[in-house]
Amino acid sequence: MCHSGLAGLRAKAEVAINEALGTEGVGERVWRVFFGVVSLPLAVSCVVFFINHRYDGAALWDFKLVPGFKPFCWITSFISFWFLYPSTFNLLEVAAVDKPKFHMWETGIMRVTRHPQMIGQALWCLPHTMWIGNSFMIATSFGLMAHHILGAWHGDRRLKTRYGEAFEEVKARTSVMPFAALLDGRQQPPEGWLKEFARAPYIAITVGTVAAYFAHPLLEGGATLLKW
C-alpha cells in the first residue's frame, strides 16, 4: 500500500509541492526523498523478517541434494536481478540529486519485457521457493507476486495517464511475457542492440548480485542480531 500508493500519488504530489513552494523541480526531489524515507525502512524490515523466519512453516519438499539443483537456483536468482532493478539506469535520479523524471523506457531489458521487475520477482521466487520448500516460502512468494502484478497494472495505468497515445504505441511494440514481442516481430531492435546492456547500471547489478551472494552469511548474521 505504501509503495504503490505513494507512486500513484506522485504526479499530483509533485505539482502540489511545487505550487506550495512557488518553484519548479523541488517537488520531484522532495517526493522522491519522502518516498525513500517511507519505503526503505519497510523494505529492510521485510527482508530481515524473511531471513529470520524463512524456515518457519511446514516443510513440503527438499531438492537440495538433487544434482545440478544448486547451480540452477543460483543462476536463476542471478538472472532475476537483471530484471529486478531497471531503476538503476540513473542513480542520480534515484537519489534525487538530479530531478526525478517519469520515464518510458524501451531499450535494454525493456525490449525483452515491459515489466522487468515483475518478471525478475518471478525468477527470484521460483528458485527460492524450490530451495527452501516450505509453506512460509510459498506464502512469501504469493505475496511478492501479488504486489508485483498489481505494480505492473498500476505502472501501465500511470504511463497511459501521462503519455496517452505515445504509451499505447510503446505498449504495442513491447510485451509482458519475456521475448514475446521480439519473437513475433512487434519489437524491431536496431542492429547491435545487445550493446544496450553494456552500460554501467547493468555492470553494477552484476557486481552487486555476486557480492550479495557472498555476503549472505553477513546478512543472515545481521538479521539474527535484530531478532525481528
Side-chain angles (χ1 to χ4, degrees):
M1 290 179 64
C2 292
H3 193 272
S4 295
L6 291 177
L9 293 172
R10 174 182 174 182
K12 293 181 179 179
E14 291 174 348
V15 171
I17 294 170
N18 283 330
E19 290 178 350
L21 297 176
T23 185
E24 290 292 331
V26 176
E28 290 83 352
R29 290 183 170 90
V30 169
W31 192 253
R32 176 56 58 85
V33 171
F34 176 67
F35 182 86
V37 167
V38 173
S39 298
L40 288 177
L42 291 173
V44 171
S45 63
C46 287
V47 170
V48 171
F49 183 87
F50 168 75
I51 292 174
N52 284 336
H53 296 275
R54 66 194 185 280
Y55 287 111
D56 290 355
L60 302 174
W61 59 75
D62 188 354
F63 299 142
K64 294 184 180 66
L65 297 181
V66 174
F69 182 62
K70 184 174 182 179
F72 162 78
C73 289
W74 194 95
I75 292 170
T76 307
S77 297
F78 175 82
I79 294 172
S80 76
F81 283 91
W82 272 51
F83 287 83
L84 272 168
Y85 292 106
S87 60
T88 55
F89 283 153
N90 193 332
L91 290 175
L92 293 179
E93 285 188 32
V94 174
V97 176
D98 287 348
K99 184 176 80 170
K101 303 178 183 67
F102 201 67
H103 296 281
M104 189 163 58
W105 301 109
E106 198 185 351
T107 58
I109 203 70
M110 306 300 279
R111 296 189 189 277
V112 177
T113 171
R114 192 170 68 256
H115 291 295
Q117 288 178 301
M118 182 182 71
I119 299 302
Q121 189 62 75
L123 290 173
W124 184 92
C125 286
L126 175 64
H128 282 78
T129 301
M130 293 178 68
W131 180 264
I132 294 174
N134 62 22
S135 57
F136 176 85
M137 193 62 225
I138 289 178
T140 299
S141 294
F142 179 84
L144 287 169
M145 288 310 303
H147 169 72
H148 278 77
I149 291 170
L150 172 65
W153 168 83
H154 194 211
D156 278 355
R157 185 185 67 84
R158 292 164 61 209
L159 286 169
K160 170 65 175 175
T161 299
R162 178 167 294 228
Y163 292 108
E165 186 59 32
F167 167 69
E168 292 296 337
E169 293 175 3
V170 170
K171 183 178 179 180
R173 294 194 300 266
T174 56
S175 63
V176 176
M177 186 65 65
F179 298 104
L182 286 165
L183 292 173
D184 65 21
R186 282 177 291 149
Q187 177 64 225
Q188 294 288 339
E191 184 177 352
W193 70 278
L194 291 176
K195 293 179 181 178
E196 293 172 356
F197 290 91
R199 297 179 54 188
Y202 291 112
I203 296 172
I205 291 170
T206 301
V207 173
T209 302
V210 174
Y213 173 77
F214 288 106
H216 266 55
L218 296 177
L219 296 173
E220 293 169 4
T224 300
L225 292 174
L226 289 173
K227 299 180 180 180
W228 293 350

